[in-house]
Amino acid sequence: MAEEPQAEIGAAGSAFTEDELKSLTEDIVGALKTVYDPEIPCDIYELGLIYKVDIEDDRSVKIDMTLTAPGCPVAGEMPGWVENAVASVSGIGHVDVQMVFDPPWTPERMSEEAKVALNWY
């Protein structure tokens, strides 16, 4: 079984049934997997750049993410890409993406899939 990235995904309240939360989570993760760092041939979710996703009772979503390096050339654009991808999920309201650098990203956050794709062994 492949190791999953270390993103924390959950609902802040209890307004969702277990099935609704599972479906929203799968759809959000799917949307996150469509966003790639242009310099790395792997999506941001598998790279472990998504630290936290909170789904609020009003279906708004708060995301904490990071970059592989603070000086990343797309640092100003990537949060918008993430916001647009997650906002495209059916049933999702407002999306707020926060860039965080604590804790700093390390390669240990990558999934096994990302490590294989990047030949990181």
Side-chain angles (χ1 to χ4, degrees), residues 19-30:
D19 288 342
E20 286 175 314
L21 182 58
K22 181 179 179 186
S23 178
L24 276 176
T25 299
E26 288 173 357
D27 291 347
I28 290 169
V29 168

Side-chain angles (χ1 to χ4, degrees), residues 40-91:
I40 303 172
C42 193
D43 69 76
I44 63 168
Y45 186 80
E46 295 297 334
L47 281 172
L49 298 181
I50 302 298
Y51 283 0
K52 186 175 183 180
V53 177
D54 281 333
I55 306 166
E56 304 293 332
D57 287 349
D58 65 357
R59 295 182 174 265
S60 63
V61 178
K62 295 180 181 176
I63 299 172
D64 287 349
M65 68 169 294
T66 195
L67 302 168
T68 55
C72 176
V74 294
E77 298 170 63
M78 195 171 294
W81 300 343
V82 171
E83 180 181 336
N84 291 338
V86 174
S88 73
V89 172
S90 179

